[in-house]
């Protein structure tokens, strides 16, 4: 049993905001780019998307369905949460130093997440919170305005992940953007490199040694 394993939670009270996509791509960055042993733990009780991706059989790291009884043999475990919180999930969240919170770039989502962080007492004293503005379309002024507000108003770390068709494409292949190298058509390579760069920037905010 590796007692030094570190947990990273990817959580939002909202559905469909990119928790699973970011969990897989972060783990893929740590493993395929940085060379670390990593596992994803799929905490969804139903519609286990991460487990579905894993069943495609190509990911170079394991995905466990549900929290195992023994700590996994890995340096890092990325916890892919369902879009809610309860007492059991809170116990799992409390294992983590880092909480990655994807946010869609809309004023309503921004307000809802800010409220949820308060309601669930996910405080800076206890966690390092990284808010990820996910699916940003920077041609849209209202989305740029949310990016601006977020960067001006929060003390949390902020990362931006753009809206790119390469993300669902690669997930559909059962891969992340790093392990998909050589697996997508050459015309997608530019998108793939840009996606790798933004996931790497996000991963660097997670200061695990
Ligand atoms: N940056 C992005 N650009 C384009 N599509 C994205 C991006 N991030 C996620 N998606 C797509 O959005 C959809 C929802 O993402 P995902 O399943 O990761 O969300 P989720 O928060 O895990 O959802 P749930 O709450 O149901 O677990 C997926 O089809 C995913 O591929
Ligand atoms: Mg999910």
């Amino acid at each position: 049993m590796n007692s030094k394993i570190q947990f990273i939670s990817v959580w939002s009270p909202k559905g469909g905001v990119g928790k699973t996509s970011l969990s897989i791509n972060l783990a893929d960055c740590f493993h395929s780019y940085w060379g670390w042993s990593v596992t994803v733990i799929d905490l969804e009780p139903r519609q286990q998307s991460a487990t579905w991706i894993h069943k495609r059989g190509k990911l170079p790291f394991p995905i466990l369905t549900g929290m195992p009884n023994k700590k996994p043999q890995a340096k890092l475990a990325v916890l892919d949460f369902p879009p809610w919180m309860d007492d059991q999930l809170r116990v799992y969240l409390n294992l983590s130093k880092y909480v990655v919170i994807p946010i869609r770039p809309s004023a309503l989502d921004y307000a809802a997440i800010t409220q949820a962080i308060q309601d669930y007492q996910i405080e800076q004293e206890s966690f390092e919170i990284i808010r990820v503005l996910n699916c940003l379309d920077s041609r849209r002024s209202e989305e740029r305005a949310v990016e601006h507000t977020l960067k001006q108003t929060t003390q949390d770390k902020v990362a931006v992940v753009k809206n790119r068709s390469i993300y669902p494409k690669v997930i559909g292949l059962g891969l992340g953007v790093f392990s998909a190298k050589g697996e997508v058509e050459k015309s997608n390579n530019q998108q793939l490199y840009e996606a790798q760069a933004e996931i790497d920037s996000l991963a660097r905010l997670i200061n695990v040694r």
Side-chain angles (χ1 to χ4, degrees), residues 16 18-21 42 44 47-50 80-83:
K19 295 179 293 296
T20 299
S21 179
D42 185 351
E44 282 269 2
Q47 290 109 27
Q48 293 151 330
S49 328
D80 179 21
F81 275 75

Side-chain angles (χ1 to χ4, degrees), residues 10 12-25 44 46-47 49 53 80-84 102 104 133-136 161-169 171-172 198-199:
V10 183
S12 164
K14 292 229 158 199
V17 293
K19 295 179 293 296
T20 299
S21 179
L22 289 174
S23 297
I24 299 286
N25 282 304
E44 282 269 2
R46 297 175 296 277
Q47 290 109 27
S49 328
I53 297 161
D80 179 21
F81 275 75
W84 62 82
R104 289 269 178 174
L133 203 60
N134 189 32
C135 281
L136 178 77
V161 173
K162 288 190 177 171
N163 187 350
R164 300 177 191 277
S165 57
I166 195 76
Y167 286 113
K169 183 171 292 192
I171 288 286
E198 63 192 358
I199 297 295

Side-chain angles (χ1 to χ4, degrees), residues 14 97 100 143 162:
K14 292 229 158 199
K97 177 171 173 201
V100 174
E143 298 196 7
K162 288 190 177 171

